[in-house]
């Protein structure tokens, strides 16, 4: 593998401390030097490092020691970039609660022992050295949009690495480079009026890091594939704290694995992606009554057949408890193109977004209110099938019973979303060195079932209703012979085996990459939660 930092040979020495826990003076001194502290601070770090070998210590004690060292190391640095979040926060810090409650779902508001927000890859590298030394549990947060408990959050037995301060962004006509702490809305805003745009997330509040590692569904997948197919390079920190680059020329196996393989290999600090020429597009959105669902499903199936021959087409299709939202999104400035003909004559109740010729930035802003915008508890799950009228109708009928029961019993709001994905979209990854998803090269529908509720007392009931909704899709699709095993990581539930759904060949490749770049298994053993290879069935 090609490392870009550090140039010294300290790491073989330091790994004796990190993995064998023999805190000999020379090794501790090497650690202190690498952490960039000196004087009294160096003495404090040395004393705390020695405690790592002082008999059996609990997870909370490990996290506490890691945080005490981190406070010394990071409190002497200042945040850079636009976010200006302090690089070290704990329970005594003024901004601690605010940063704890950044996560979209309040079920994920966990109070970690401390929060580290480095401003550079070097800072992330130092954080990993500390976590390594004390064997502390940790979680990684980009935007915090994951609804899964423990994925971008951790309780007081762990350290949260929040990459919010990695928010630098640059561009030219071929490449856009941004830190993993950016959110897609910030990326789009920065690029407004530049003539280029990044293929990214559909919601402006979503962090770039988690979406890229999960693959990411963009608006124009038939043109560009999944979001991570557009990656040119990843900069990341490995378990042993080295900083490496992965691209089509170096660390190519890692480059492919990072496109949908999750947080199994390192902490990505920077992404370079294709700069796409920004041209005007057309979009419109309508809402329909729930008694029109059968007619809308018929229109959906016809649209999916037509979109196989029109790479500019994209569709938003989300059924709620009280209405259905359908959005037409076309990559050219053509009003009401023929690919959506199956929908135009269906009476609609409201015009959610008027027919608009505008920029991709205008599109993202227009749809920004779709989805949960209130403080609440959220969760999602994933299922996939080939387009099929019978499976849509049958699974929706089951979902309707499930969602009505959940609404009555604990005030839940549920949605049934269909994300069309063409065979052309599925083929894009191969032309870019491959991705981890193992997609069948056929037209398909990525189903996202969601639930929103208020009280933690109803967590178990919400999870049960949610999974029942996804199981309804799975069972009906299986019965009708249109089931596909793929699970979309960005929508999946924590109990779903996402990596296993990629297929045996893809999973074996991911495991080989993980063994190569993290031979000690730190990301499998110490990472708090996530779609980890060690937990895949």
């Amino acid at each position: 593998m090609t490392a870009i930092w550090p140039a010294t040979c300290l790491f073989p020495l330091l790994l004796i401390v990190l993995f064998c826990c023999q805190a000999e003076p020379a090794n501790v001194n090497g650690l202190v030097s690498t952490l960039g502290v000196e004087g009294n601070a160096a003495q404090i770090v040395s004393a705390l490092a020695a405690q790592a070998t002082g008999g059996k210590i609990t997870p909370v004690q490990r996290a506490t020691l890691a945080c005490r060292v981190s406070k010394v190391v990071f409190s002497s640095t200042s945040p850079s970039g636009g976010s200006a979040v302090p690089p070290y926060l704990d329970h005594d810090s003024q901004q601690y609660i605010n940063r704890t409650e950044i996560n979209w779902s309040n079920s994920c508001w966990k109070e970690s022992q401390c929060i580290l927000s480095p401003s550079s890859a070097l800072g992330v590298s130092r954080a990993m050295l500390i976590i390594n030394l004390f064997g502390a549990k940790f979680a990684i947060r980009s935007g915090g949009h994951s609804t899964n408990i423990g994925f971008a959050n951790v309780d007081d037995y762990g350290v949260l690495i929040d990459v919010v301060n990695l928010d630098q962004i640059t561009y030219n006509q071929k490449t856009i480079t941004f830190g993993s702490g950016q959110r897609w809305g910030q990326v789009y805003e920065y690029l407004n009026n530049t003539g280029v745009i990044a293929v990214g997330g559909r919601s402006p509040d979503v962090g770039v890091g988690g979406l890229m590692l999960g693959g990411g569904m963009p608006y124009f997948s038939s043109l560009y594939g999944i979001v991570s197919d557009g990656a040119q390079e990843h900069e990341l920190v490995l378990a042993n704290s080295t900083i490496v680059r992965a691209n089509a020329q170096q660390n190519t196996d890692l480059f492919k694995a990072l496109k949908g393989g999750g947080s199994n290999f390192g902490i990505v600090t920077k992404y370079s992606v294709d700069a796409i020429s920004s041209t005007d597009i057309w979009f419109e959105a309508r809402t329909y009554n729930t008694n029109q669902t059968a007619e809308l499903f018929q229109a959906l199936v016809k649209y999916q057949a037509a979109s196989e021959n029109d790479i500019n087409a994209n569709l938003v299709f989300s059924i709620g408890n009280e209405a259905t939202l359908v959005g037409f999104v076309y990559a050219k400035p053509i009003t009401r193109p023929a690919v959506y003909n199956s929908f135009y004559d269906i009476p609609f109740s409201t015009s959610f977004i008027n027919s608009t010729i505008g920029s991709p930035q205008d599109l993202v802003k227009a749809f920004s209110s779709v989805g949960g915008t209130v403080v609440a508890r959220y969760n999602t799950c994933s299922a996939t099938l080939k387009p099929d009228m019978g499976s849509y109708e049958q699974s929706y009928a089951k979902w309707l019973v499930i969602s009505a029961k959940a609404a009555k019993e604990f005030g839940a709001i549920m949605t049934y979303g269909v994300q069309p994905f063409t065979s052309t979209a599925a083929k894009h990854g191969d032309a870019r060195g491959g991705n981890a998803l193992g997609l069948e090269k056929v037209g398909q529908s990525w189903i996202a079932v969601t639930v929103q509720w208020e009280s933690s007392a109803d967590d178990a009931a919400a999870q049960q209703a949610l999974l029942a909704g996804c199981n309804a899709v799975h069972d009906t699709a299986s019965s009708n012979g249109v089931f596909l095993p793929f699970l979309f990581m960005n929508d999946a539930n924590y109990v779903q085996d996402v990596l296993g759904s990629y297929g045996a060949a893809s999973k074996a490749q991911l495991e080989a990459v993980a063994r190569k770049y993290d031979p000690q298994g730190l990301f499998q053993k110490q990472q708090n939660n996530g779609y980890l290879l060690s937990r895949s069935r």
Side-chain angles (χ1 to χ4, degrees), residues 35-251:
L35 290 176
V37 292
E38 55 188 18
N40 290 336
Q43 294 178 18
I44 294 171
V45 170
S46 296
L48 291 171
Q51 294 184 40
T53 61
K56 186 174 182 180
I57 55 178
T58 68
V60 172
Q61 289 171 325
R62 291 182 184 277
T64 301
L65 286 169
C67 288
R68 290 177 65 185
V69 170
S70 297
K71 186 173 185 178
V72 174
V73 172
F74 287 99
S75 293
S76 61
T77 63
S78 299
S80 61
S83 61
V85 172
Y88 177 87
L89 294 170
D90 60 25
H91 293 266
D92 296 326
S93 304
Q94 185 175 0
Q95 295 188 40
Y96 175 81
I97 294 298
N98 174 265
R99 294 305 302 170
T100 296
E101 297 178 356
I102 287 296
N103 296 65
W104 180 47
S105 174
N106 65 20
S107 59
C108 296
W109 292 358
K110 303 299 180 182
E111 296 189 8
S112 59
Q113 191 67 220
C114 63
I115 304 173
L116 308 183
S117 302
S119 299
S120 66
L122 176 58
V124 175
S125 174
R126 288 172 172 169
M128 289 308 298
L129 275 173
I130 295 168
I131 285 168
N132 250 316
L133 172 62
F134 294 103
K137 286 281 188 178
F138 68 97
I140 310 158
R141 182 174 69 193
S142 174
H145 202 262
S146 171
T147 60
N148 291 312
I149 295 173
F151 280 40
N153 49 87
V154 63
D155 281 304
D156 64 351
Y157 54 79
V159 176
L160 177 62
I161 299 176
D162 184 354
V163 298
V164 61
N165 286 331
L166 301 175
D167 60 353
Q168 303 79 11
I169 181 169
T170 60
Y171 77 95
N172 57 40
Q173 294 306 304
K174 293 184 177 180
T175 304
I176 301 165
T177 299
F178 42 80
S180 56
Q182 284 281 1
R183 294 176 186 263
W184 287 108
Q186 295 169 328
V187 174
Y188 300 145
E189 186 66 30
Y190 183 90
L191 296 172
N192 199 22
N193 299 319
T194 64
V196 297
I197 191 68
V199 176
R202 294 165 295 175
S203 172
D205 196 48
V206 171
V208 303
L211 185 127
M212 291 286 288
L213 290 175
M217 171 72 90
Y219 274 113
F220 301 114
S221 55
S222 291
L223 280 171
Y224 307 112
I226 59 174
V227 175
S228 60
D229 284 338
Q232 296 180 6
E233 181 175 274
H234 302 80
E235 176 191 84
L236 68 155
V237 177
L238 300 180
N240 67 359
S241 296
T242 55
I243 303 172
V244 303
R245 289 179 178 141
N247 52 47
Q249 287 75 44
Q250 57 190 40
N251 301 320

Side-chain angles (χ1 to χ4, degrees), residues 299-308 313-315 339-340 342-343 420:
L300 172 63
V301 171
K302 292 177 181 178
Y303 160 79
Q304 289 189 270
S307 66
E308 286 290 328
N314 194 267
L315 189 77
V339 70
Y340 305 109
S342 58
F343 287 99

Side-chain angles (χ1 to χ4, degrees), residues 223-537:
L223 280 171
Y224 307 112
I226 59 174
V227 175
S228 60
D229 284 338
Q232 296 180 6
E233 181 175 274
H234 302 80
E235 176 191 84
L236 68 155
V237 177
L238 300 180
N240 67 359
S241 296
T242 55
I243 303 172
V244 303
R245 289 179 178 141
N247 52 47
Q249 287 75 44
Q250 57 190 40
N251 301 320
T252 56
D253 52 352
L254 180 59
F255 182 51
K256 179 181 177 180
L258 289 166
K259 293 186 282 186
S263 59
N264 284 283
F265 317 102
I267 301 178
V268 179
T269 53
K270 188 190 301 180
Y271 295 94
S272 293
V273 303
D274 293 340
I276 305 299
S277 178
S278 180
T279 57
D280 279 350
I281 60 177
W282 173 77
F283 53 92
E284 181 180 0
R286 302 168 172 181
T287 62
Y288 300 83
N289 295 324
T290 55
N291 60 6
Q292 297 175 283
T293 304
E295 191 175 6
L296 290 172
F297 278 142
Q298 292 174 350
L300 172 63
V301 171
K302 292 177 181 178
Y303 160 79
Q304 289 189 270
S307 66
E308 286 290 328
N309 299 307
D310 191 337
I311 60 174
N312 296 295
N314 194 267
L315 189 77
V316 175
F317 192 98
S318 181
I319 304 171
N321 293 87
E322 298 179 354
T324 296
L325 173 70
V326 178
F328 315 120
V329 183
Y330 201 71
K332 290 185 176 182
I334 299 173
T335 301
R336 298 197 175 96
V339 70
Y340 305 109
N341 278 349
S342 58
F343 287 99
Y344 293 147
D345 292 334
I346 302 175
F348 57 94
S349 56
T350 63
S351 179
F352 185 77
I353 298 172
N354 292 328
S355 176
T356 303
I357 299 290
S359 69
Q361 289 90 343
D362 295 331
L363 167 68
V364 173
K365 289 179 181 178
F367 277 96
S368 62
S369 62
V370 177
T373 57
V374 300
V375 175
R377 305 172 87 79
Y378 297 94
N379 215 341
T380 64
C381 63
S382 172
T384 304
L385 72 159
K386 298 174 185 177
D388 180 66
M389 181 67 186
S391 296
Y392 289 148
E393 287 189 314
Q394 293 160 28
S395 61
Y396 169 70
K398 294 179 180 180
W399 174 90
L400 202 59
V401 174
I402 295 163
S403 63
K405 183 173 182 287
K408 180 179 179 180
E409 292 183 352
F410 58 99
I413 300 172
M414 296 187 68
T415 66
Y416 176 118
V418 181
Q419 302 169 97
F421 196 78
T422 65
S423 59
T424 301
K427 295 172 184 175
H428 272 289
D430 292 343
R432 298 299 301 269
N435 58 50
L437 275 57
L439 294 172
E440 293 189 35
K441 306 305 188 286
V442 297
Q444 52 200 274
S445 298
W446 296 3
I447 307 298
V449 177
T450 73
V451 61
Q452 172 187 329
W453 72 106
E454 295 297 327
S455 173
S456 60
D458 299 315
D459 286 359
Q463 175 75 349
Q464 183 179 16
L466 178 74
L467 294 181
C470 275
N471 287 338
V473 178
H474 176 283
D475 294 344
T476 55
S478 296
S479 297
N480 294 327
V482 294
F483 167 75
L484 293 173
F486 171 73
L487 298 171
F488 182 34
M489 184 181 291
N490 297 127
D491 289 336
N493 187 264
Y494 66 92
V495 301
Q496 295 185 294
D497 185 11
V498 171
L499 301 179
S501 79
Y502 292 177
S506 179
K507 182 179 173 182
Q509 290 175 354
L510 294 175
E511 289 171 335
V513 172
R515 288 193 298 269
K516 178 179 176 181
Y517 293 91
D518 182 12
Q520 302 293 334
L522 180 141
F523 279 89
Q524 307 303 317
K525 298 172 184 175
Q526 289 176 229
Q527 191 170 186
N528 186 46
N529 211 334
Y531 297 112
L532 304 180
L533 286 161
S534 58
R535 299 180 185 182
S536 177
R537 298 182 289 277

